[in-house]
Amino acid sequence: MGTSASATSQAAPFSPTHQADHQGNGMAEHRRLLQSVNIRNSKTKSIITNKVAPVVITNNCREEFQIHDKIQSANYLRGRISDLLPEHYLVLGEFFMVQDVYNRADVLNTTKSHGAPNFRKVKGNYPLFGMGQPSLSGFKQVLQRLQIDGFEEVIFICVREEPVVFFRSSGDFIPYTPRRKENLHENLHDLDRELSTEQIELSIRKELCDFAKLSENMFSVYNDIEHFKDEPQHVHILSEEDIHVTEEVYKRPLFSHPSHRYYRLPLPMEGAPLEETFDAFVNILRETPNLSVTRDGSSPPPALLFSCQVGVGRTNLGLILGALVFHHLQGASKSPRQKIQGEHKLDFQVIQLLISCLPKGQQVLDEVDDAIAICSEMHNIKDAVYESKLKLEGIGEDYQIQGSSTKGYFLQRTLQSLERYVYLLVFNAYLHDQYSQAFSQSFSQWMCMNAWIYRLLSSMDSSELSAPANLLTNGIRVLVSSEFLSTDLLSTAKEMKVANFRRVSKMALYGMAQPNSEALAVVMSYLTDTRRGHSTVLWLNLQEELVLEANGQMFTPREPGCLEQPIPVCVQHPQQLQEMELALKQDILSCEKWLEVITEQDKQMRMFKSCHTIQELFVHQKSIHPGLSYQRIPLSDCCAPAEQVFDRLLEAMKSSLAEDPGCAFIFNCHDGKDRTTAAMVIGTLTLWHINGFPDCEDDEIVSVPDAKYTKGEFEAVMQVVRFLPDGHRMKREVDVALDVVSETMTPMHYHLREIIISTYRQIKMAKSEADAQWLRLRSLQYLERYIYLILFNSYLHLEKKDSWRRPFSQWMYQVAARSGIYAILNHLGFSEFENPDESPMSRLRFRWLPHTVQSIPMRGELI
C-alpha cells in the first residue's frame, strides 16, 4: 500500500525574502526527512531515494510512505543577535522570538494569586477588570476566579495589535512575541495591514514548525534580553500542537463557559484608536443584550475584562471605554462633578473649543474625567498629557525640525496623549447621542455626520505647543523675504511694485502677492484713479502665517530646514494673528543683535530700525483712501478652504456690495498664486450669482491625453455631481470660473482643476518615497478643493432664495452631510488608478491636519 505524506502545510501568507541552502547528506538527511513527517526511527526499515521524492518503508514492510518535502527549498533566513550568540532561523525573515512578559512588569504582583500580571478591578461598582498577558493556565485561573466572584457572563477583550504565540512548557503554554534585533524590548506594530493579526500568528506558527523540522525539532527563543545568561533557550516542537496562537488560548477555555465571549480589539500603543476600532467596540456592545439600555434588568451586566501585554496603557484605555459604557448603562449622575485633589486640568484650546461646541459638553468632559479617575490605578491618561507637556516646556530650545530632536520627540508624545484624551471626549459624545438609539449609526458614520469635529480637531497641532515667536531672536527661526518666496511670473513688480498682480476680465476683482507699504500705495492709486474710479475697495488678506514689514521689505518667520513651508499657527480668530505679529514686531525692535534673514539673493545678517504689521500698513493707507476696507481671512495653502472660510469670504463680499455695488475686491497671499487664485474663483462665482452668469458653453473641448481627467471628471467628483441637484451644471459653471481666472495668469501655467492630474502624475517620477507621499497628499488636497468649489456653487444656487442667510458651513453640516458628501470626502482618492484605502490621507482625520514633508506618513501607514 502506498501513501504520500506531505512535510509542509499550506503556504504561509508571508513570503520569506532570503534563501538558505538546507541540503543534507547520508543518515543526517534521512533523519531529517523522518522528523519532517514525525516517523520514528524504530519504525523505519529503509529509505529509497528517487528523482520525485524519497520513499520510506516501515520495519514490517506493511506500509510505504512517499515524502514530499518542500522545506529544503524554502527561502528562510538565519541570523544572530550578536557575534557571541549562535545563529538560527528568523521569524518572518527578520525577527527573534522573545518571552512576552518579564517578571518586573508585574507591579501588582498578581501572577501567582490571580493568574495574570497586574490583574485588578476598577474603583467603584462597575464589573471592569484589567490585566497583562497570561499564560494558558493563567487565563483559566482568571476565569475561575471571576466565576467564584459570581460573574456568570464575562466578555474578554484582548487589545493587543502585535502577534503573540504560545510555546508548550511544563504543562502550560507561555507567550512569546517576535521582536526586532535593534529593539528587543519593543513589540511589533503595523506589520501588514492586509493581514489580520490572527493570520500573521498562523504564518509564524507555520514557520516555527518548519524551522523545528530543519533543526532536530528545536527552535531558539530568548527569555533574558538584559544579560543573555544561558541564551538562547531551546523549545521542543514536534507539531503545531506544541504552539498555540492567541485565539486558541482564549477561545478553547470558553467551551467550559458558554456565556463567556472573546474578542480581539487591537488598540494603538500611542494616540487615539481609528474610527473602525471604535466601530468594532460598538459592535461588541450591539452583540451583548445585557449591555443594552433596553435590557429587562433581570440579569446583571457582564464583566468586561481587558488585557494587553503588561496591563497598563492599552488596557487602561479599554477600561475607560468600558467605564463610559457602564456609566450610560446605569444612568448619568445629575450632580456636578467634584474635582479630585491633585487632579490636573488640561488647559488646551482644542479641549475648550470642543466642549463649547458639543451638546452637554461639560457633562461629557466630567464623565470622561470620572472614568479616567476610577481606572487610574496603573496609568492616568490626563497625567500622561500633563507630564509630557511639562517635559516639553522644560527642555532647552533645541527644536529644529519636528521629530529630529529631544523636543520634537516630546512634542509628538504630548500630541499623541492629547489626541487619545480628546477622542475619549468625542466617543463619549457619541454614546450620549447613540446609546439610547441602540447605535443606529456606527462611530465612523456619526463622525461623518458631524464632520465639524474633524475640522476642529485639525487645530490640535504642534503650533499650540511649539516654540513662541521670540525664538526668532534666539536663532531658532529665520526671517524669509517675500522675494525669496514669490517669483514674479507675471512680471508686474516693475510697474505695480508687487508680484503677480492681475485682474479677472470684465470684473472688479484683483489678485496679487503680499505687497509692502510702497506697493500698497501704488495699487490703491491705480484702483482709485480716474480710469478705474473705485471709491470703495475691500482688501482680503489670505495669509495664515505671520508677516511683517521690516526696513520696507516683507518678511515671514520660517524653520531653517523648511524655508518653503509656512509655520502653522493655530488661531481661531484673525485678531490673534495681529496680536502675534505685534509681539513679533516688539521682539525684533527690542533685539540688540543682528538677525539672520534669507533674501532672494543670499543669506544675510541684518539689524532692523523700522518694523510694521500688515494691519498697521492698511491703517495708514485708509487715512489716505477712506474707502479702503481690510480683512484678514486666513486660508491654508494648497488646501480646500474650511467651511467657515467660505462663510467669511461670502459675508465680506455681500456686506461690501450692499454698501457699494461697484466695490473692487483684492485678494492676496504670499505669492499671489494658490490661495489667491482659489479666493478669486470663489469671488467670481459670488459676483456671478449676484450680477448674473455669462454664457457657458455646454462642453469644453480638451485635446490632450486622458482629457476626462484634465476636465476634472474623476470618479469622486462625478459621484458628488450625481448627488447634487443639477450637478453637471454646477460643475460646468465652476469650470468656466476656473478658466476665467486662469486666463489672468497664463504665464504661470496654473489651473486649479488641471493641476490635480498633473500633480498626481508626478508621483511616479518622485525621487523618494517621502516626495511621492507629499505629491499624493497635494493631489488629494487639490481634488478636494475642486469638489468644495462645486459644493459652494450648488449652495449659492440652492440658498439664493433666502439671500444666503444660512451660512455655507451650516448648509454643509445640515444638508450636504446627510446626503453623504462627507462620507465621500472621508474615502477620497483616485480610485481609477489605486485603492484609496492604501493612503491614510484619504481620510478627513489625517488629510485635514497641518502637514509638512516630514510629517507625512508613508503609504499604508497610519498616524
Side-chain angles (χ1 to χ4, degrees):
M1 179 175 67
T3 306
S4 292
S6 175
T8 60
S9 54
Q10 292 183 354
F14 271 90
S15 298
T17 55
H18 299 270
Q19 185 170 4
D21 186 7
H22 306 299
Q23 299 293 338
N25 56 71
M27 290 305 297
E29 177 66 9
H30 291 170
R31 185 168 60 250
R32 190 190 64 76
L33 292 173
L34 297 178
Q35 291 170 349
S36 70
V37 289
N38 298 323
I39 301 174
R40 295 180 181 176
N41 281 322
S42 59
K43 285 188 175 184
T44 306
K45 178 177 179 62
S46 63
I47 299 177
I48 303 172
T49 59
N50 59 49
K51 293 182 179 179
V52 178
V55 177
V56 176
I57 300 174
T58 58
N59 277 331
N60 55 18
C61 297
R62 292 174 63 92
E63 291 182 277
E64 176 182 300
F65 295 92
Q66 189 173 37
I67 304 174
H68 296 278
D69 186 3
K70 298 180 181 178
I71 301 177
Q72 59 183 344
S73 61
N75 298 324
Y76 291 135
L77 178 69
R78 295 171 64 89
R80 67 182 78 207
I81 290 180
S82 72
D83 293 338
L84 300 177
L85 294 173
E87 184 181 70
H88 53 78
Y89 290 104
L90 302 181
V91 170
L92 305 180
E94 58 177 315
F95 305 120
F96 299 84
M97 296 303 296
V98 177
Q99 186 169 322
D100 188 39
V101 182
Y102 54 96
N103 294 332
R104 287 178 296 170
D106 187 11
V107 177
L108 301 183
N109 197 26
T110 59
T111 301
K112 290 183 179 180
S113 59
H114 293 76
N118 299 318
F119 182 88
R120 64 198 182 277
K121 180 183 179 296
V122 302
K123 303 170 187 174
N125 299 320
Y126 295 157
L128 274 171
F129 300 86
M131 66 180 183
Q133 178 66 62
S135 65
L136 174 59
S137 296
F139 181 59
K140 292 177 180 179
Q141 185 179 346
V142 168
L143 293 181
Q144 188 176 29
R145 178 149 191 122
L146 291 174
Q147 189 175 21
I148 293 173
D149 291 342
F151 294 103
E152 298 178 359
E153 183 182 5
V154 177
I155 297 177
F156 173 60
I157 302 175
C158 174
V159 296
R160 304 190 68 170
E161 62 176 340
E162 64 272 19
V164 185
V165 296
F166 299 73
F167 291 111
R168 188 190 298 274
S169 176
S170 302
D172 198 359
F173 280 83
I174 308 301
Y176 284 77
T177 53
R179 308 273 177 90
R180 287 186 172 87
K181 175 181 177 179
E182 295 76 19
N183 193 344
L184 293 171
H185 293 272
E186 185 174 319
N187 287 315
L188 305 178
H189 306 286
D190 299 326
L191 266 179
D192 190 326
R193 294 204 165 270
E194 294 183 0
L195 295 175
S196 67
T197 307
E198 288 81 1
Q199 289 174 310
I200 297 174
E201 288 177 354
L202 291 172
S203 298
I204 291 173
R205 178 163 68 180
K206 160 66 175 60
E207 286 194 357
L208 291 171
C209 289
D210 287 352
F211 296 157
K213 292 169 185 176
L214 295 169
S215 307
E216 299 184 352
N217 295 329
M218 305 295 287
F219 182 72
S220 299
V221 299
Y222 293 84
N223 295 347
D224 178 9
I225 55 174
E226 294 288 342
H227 309 289
F228 293 96
K229 184 179 180 180
D230 300 325
E231 299 294 341
Q233 302 289 314
H234 300 289
V235 293
H236 198 62
I237 302 173
L238 284 177
S239 69
E240 287 191 355
E241 294 179 4
D242 294 318
I243 308 170
H244 282 358
V245 295
T246 303
E247 196 171 34
E248 293 170 332
V249 169
Y250 291 140
K251 278 194 172 181
R252 288 178 176 177
L254 301 186
F255 277 86
S256 303
H257 308 277
S259 60
H260 296 356
R261 280 182 291 138
Y262 160 73
Y263 296 93
R264 191 153 191 172
L265 184 74
L267 295 180
M269 292 287 291
E270 307 291 345
L274 296 175
E275 286 76 359
E276 51 262 41
T277 304
F278 285 111
D279 290 344
F281 181 65
V282 170
N283 286 335
I284 296 174
L285 305 181
R286 284 173 171 163
E287 295 172 5
T288 310
N290 285 330
L291 287 178
S292 169
V293 291
T294 60
R295 68 190 181 97
D296 57 14
S298 60
S299 299
L304 295 184
L305 173 61
F306 294 88
S307 172
C308 63
Q309 182 189 9
V310 295
V312 182
R314 291 172 290 180
T315 293
N316 180 255
L317 177 58
L319 290 172
I320 295 170
L321 294 175
L324 292 173
V325 168
F326 282 119
H327 178 80
H328 286 272
L329 183 67
Q330 299 183 7
S333 172
K334 302 299 182 183
S335 58
R337 178 178 185 270
Q338 299 297 317
K339 185 176 179 181
I340 301 173
Q341 186 175 3
E343 181 180 10
H344 297 120
K345 180 181 179 181
L346 301 182
D347 191 19
F348 290 89
Q349 180 174 268
V350 64
I351 296 175
Q352 297 169 359
L353 288 170
L354 183 62
I355 296 310
S356 66
C357 295
L358 285 173
K360 302 179 181 178
Q362 188 59 48
Q363 183 180 345
V364 166
L365 179 103
D366 289 345
E367 291 165 358
V368 169
D369 287 349
D370 279 337
I372 291 173
I374 68 173
C375 302
S376 61
E377 182 177 0
M378 293 289 296
H379 180 72
N380 188 300
I381 288 179
K382 290 181 67 177
D383 288 349
V385 181
Y386 184 80
E387 290 165 8
S388 293
K389 188 179 181 184
L390 283 182
K391 290 178 182 178
L392 180 65
E393 293 171 347
I395 295 171
E397 305 296 358
D398 63 342
Y399 178 75
Q400 297 293 329
I401 302 173
Q402 184 172 336
S404 66
S405 66
T406 305
K407 190 153 192 174
Y409 168 79
F410 281 105
L411 175 62
Q412 184 68 14
R413 289 293 299 270
T414 306
L415 287 172
Q416 289 173 333
S417 300
L418 177 61
E419 181 193 45
R420 178 168 289 194
Y421 178 75
V422 168
Y423 265 87
L424 285 172
L425 298 175
V426 174
F427 183 68
N428 192 31
Y430 164 79
L431 292 177
H432 269 277
D433 185 56
Q434 289 292 308
Y435 210 122
S436 61
Q437 302 180 42
F439 305 109
S440 59
Q441 293 177 340
S442 68
F443 182 73
S444 297
Q445 293 169 334
W446 185 83
M447 285 294 287
C448 284
M449 294 293 289
N450 295 273
W452 62 269
I453 296 177
Y454 283 127
R455 193 64 80 179
L456 188 151
L457 296 184
S458 67
S459 66
M460 186 173 57
D461 63 12
S462 60
S463 63
E464 189 175 355
L465 302 170
S466 59
N470 64 9
L471 282 183
L472 183 66
T473 56
N474 293 336
I476 305 303
R477 290 174 179 168
V478 298
L479 288 174
V480 180
S481 72
S482 295
E483 291 82 359
F484 178 85
L485 296 171
S486 58
T487 304
D488 185 22
L489 297 173
L490 301 186
S491 303
T492 61
K494 184 175 181 180
E495 179 182 357
M496 302 300 299
K497 307 301 180 184
V498 64
N500 301 321
F501 180 85
R502 62 195 188 278
R503 174 196 174 204
V504 177
S505 178
K506 301 178 182 179
M507 300 177 74
L509 204 153
Y510 302 82
M512 68 184 76
Q514 176 62 57
N516 60 10
S517 54
E518 180 187 11
L520 183 56
V522 171
V523 170
M524 286 305 302
S525 297
Y526 173 85
L527 294 176
T528 56
D529 65 11
T530 55
R531 182 178 176 182
R532 278 149 288 271
H534 293 295
S535 58
T536 58
V537 175
L538 174 61
W539 198 302
L540 297 167
N541 186 339
L542 308 169
Q543 295 200 83
E544 64 173 354
E545 59 269 34
L546 303 181
V547 186
L548 291 173
E549 183 188 64
N551 288 4
Q553 195 172 8
M554 304 306 298
F555 290 96
T556 184
R558 297 286 170 98
E559 302 286 1
C562 305
L563 296 180
E564 301 292 339
Q565 297 174 17
I567 298 171
V569 179
C570 180
V571 297
Q572 295 302 315
H573 194 276
Q575 183 61 32
Q576 293 174 272
L577 280 174
Q578 167 66 8
E579 294 169 359
M580 295 174 74
E581 286 174 345
L582 281 171
L584 182 59
K585 168 188 171 180
Q586 295 302 320
D587 185 37
I588 291 175
L589 292 177
S590 62
C591 178
E592 298 181 355
K593 62 180 182 179
W594 296 83
L595 297 177
E596 181 180 351
V597 299
I598 308 294
T599 65
E600 187 178 15
Q601 292 81 20
D602 54 14
K603 183 186 298 186
Q604 301 177 5
M605 300 300 293
R606 292 186 184 178
M607 186 174 289
F608 295 107
K609 296 181 179 179
S610 68
C611 190
H612 304 283
T613 67
I614 300 178
Q615 181 81 29
E616 291 170 342
L617 299 183
F618 279 92
V619 168
H620 175 70
Q621 276 300 312
K622 187 173 178 62
S623 66
I624 303 172
H625 302 281
L628 172 64
S629 297
Y630 170 76
Q631 289 191 36
R632 185 103 173 238
I633 304 180
L635 177 59
S636 295
D637 205 18
C638 301
C639 301
E643 291 81 358
Q644 288 77 8
V645 171
F646 284 96
D647 294 344
R648 294 167 187 161
L649 288 172
L650 177 60
E651 184 58 35
M653 294 186 69
K654 279 172 54 183
S655 300
S656 297
L657 290 171
E659 295 181 7
D660 180 7
C663 177
F665 300 94
I666 305 179
F667 303 92
N668 84 269
C669 60
H670 73 286
D671 62 355
K673 189 177 179 181
D674 186 88
R675 289 174 285 185
T676 295
T677 304
M680 291 175 75
V681 173
I682 294 170
T684 298
L685 290 170
T686 301
L687 290 177
W688 283 353
H689 276 274
I690 294 174
N691 300 327
F693 275 78
D695 294 333
C696 298
E697 297 181 5
D698 289 340
D699 288 304
E700 181 184 6
I701 300 175
V702 180
S703 56
V704 295
D706 293 329
K708 61 181 293 187
Y709 302 126
T710 303
K711 293 163 64 176
E713 295 174 1
F714 299 95
E715 288 186 14
V717 173
M718 301 315 294
Q719 188 176 1
V720 172
V721 167
R722 289 192 296 270
F723 280 25
L724 294 173
D726 205 4
H728 288 278
R729 178 187 167 199
M730 300 301 104
K731 177 182 180 301
R732 187 164 58 250
E733 290 173 353
V734 169
D735 288 337
V736 174
L738 292 172
D739 294 339
V740 168
V741 174
S742 180
E743 288 173 0
T744 70
M745 47 195 294
T746 303
M748 284 187 179
H749 301 290
Y750 189 79
H751 194 291
L752 288 187
R753 185 190 66 236
E754 296 173 2
I755 196 174
I756 301 171
I757 188 62
S758 65
T759 303
Y760 182 82
R761 285 172 176 155
Q762 293 176 41
I763 294 174
K764 293 182 179 180
M765 299 177 286
K767 296 180 180 179
S768 66
E769 180 64 15
D771 289 343
Q773 295 313 315
W774 181 253
L775 290 168
R776 178 170 279 103
L777 170 63
R778 279 288 181 246
S779 59
L780 286 171
Q781 290 173 326
Y782 294 146
L783 178 64
E784 183 177 42
R785 179 170 59 187
Y786 182 50
I787 290 173
Y788 261 82
L789 291 173
I790 296 171
L791 290 168
F792 180 65
N793 189 37
S794 182
Y795 157 80
L796 291 175
H797 276 283
L798 296 173
E799 296 290 311
K800 186 174 183 178
K801 60 182 181 298
D802 294 325
S803 300
W804 306 296
R805 280 197 294 269
R806 174 163 53 181
F808 176 68
S809 57
Q810 287 187 18
W811 181 83
M812 284 290 288
Y813 300 140
Q814 296 173 0
V815 179
R818 283 159 177 75
S819 300
I821 292 299
Y822 284 109
I824 297 174
L825 295 175
N826 200 39
H827 190 69
L828 190 64
F830 299 92
S831 54
E832 303 91 339
F833 313 117
E834 61 184 21
N835 180 6
D837 292 336
E838 293 182 358
S839 172
M841 293 303 133
S842 66
R843 302 167 180 244
L844 296 173
R845 173 174 174 173
F846 300 115
R847 193 172 62 252
W848 282 1
L849 290 173
H851 290 290
T852 63
V853 173
Q854 291 78 17
S855 70
I856 301 295
M858 295 297 102
R859 197 173 185 188
E861 187 179 289
L862 292 176
I863 299 175

